[in-house]
Amino acid sequence: MIEVSRTLSVNDGTQPPLGLDEVWEGLVDKARNPLPYIASMSECSVTERFDGGLVREIVHAGQPVREVVTFYPKQRVHFVRTHGTARGTIDNELGFDEAGELALTFAFRIVLDGAEPGSAQEKEFAAHMEADYLDAVRTTLKAVRDRVAGTATGISA
């Protein structure tokens, strides 16, 4: 199993500073339409909506994946990959660091079909996925900042 967790400070000095509500809206937007945020995703179709979440079919790194997405308002977006060659969970979690500053953590726990634990294949997949999600978090925060500053990049909430 691949397990990665990274926490980024939301307000790292980049202007304008962001609040919990603004970042939450960005995370919800990314869950509904990840294409502007994650370069390695080429397709997304929301196939079902339910109270507190949605089901989506995506193509990530050329592979079809089904995800059940559950929203825990202003706390966490939880993704469960139920179909595809890499199954498991991904979380985008809002919280506060030791200094009381807003932080965004992404974590994933994924099993890659056909890969031996600790193998080069598994490590390569983990590195690619971690880079994708770090980029997605940064892209999300930039899009939210652009929206707050009134210079929206075409990404909507």
Side-chain angles (χ1 to χ4, degrees), residues 5-10 93 95-97 102-106 134 137:
S5 179
R6 295 281 303 266
T7 300
L8 299 173
S9 177
V10 169
E93 190 163 355
F96 296 90
D97 64 19
L102 186 59
L104 177 56
T105 299
F106 77 89
L134 267 174
V137 167

Side-chain angles (χ1 to χ4, degrees), residues 1-3 84-89 109-115 122 125:
M1 175 176 286
I2 302 165
E3 294 186 66
T85 58
R87 289 181 308 281
T89 62
R109 289 155 301 284
I110 299 289
V111 174
L112 182 61
D113 286 353
E122 186 183 67
F125 180 86

Side-chain angles (χ1 to χ4, degrees), residues 57-156:
E57 304 282 340
I58 61 172
V59 175
H60 180 241
Q63 298 295 314
V65 177
R66 177 180 295 144
E67 293 181 329
V68 177
V69 183
T70 306
F71 301 109
Y72 298 88
K74 299 182 186 177
Q75 295 176 21
R76 179 169 55 120
V77 181
H78 181 67
F79 303 81
V80 178
R81 288 189 162 194
T82 60
H83 295 77
T85 58
R87 289 181 308 281
T89 62
I90 302 167
D91 287 295
N92 294 180
E93 190 163 355
L94 287 164
F96 296 90
D97 64 19
E98 302 80 30
E101 297 296 323
L102 186 59
L104 177 56
T105 299
F106 77 89
F108 55 87
R109 289 155 301 284
I110 299 289
V111 174
L112 182 61
D113 286 353
E116 290 294 320
S119 68
Q121 179 186 11
E122 186 183 67
K123 289 177 184 174
E124 181 180 329
F125 180 86
H128 182 267
M129 192 163 173
E130 182 176 5
D132 276 358
Y133 280 86
L134 267 174
D135 184 59
V137 167
R138 291 182 178 122
T139 301
T140 302
L141 294 175
K142 181 185 181 320
V144 172
R145 278 197 174 81
D146 288 349
R147 191 175 4 213
V148 168
T151 59
T153 59
I155 299 170
S156 62

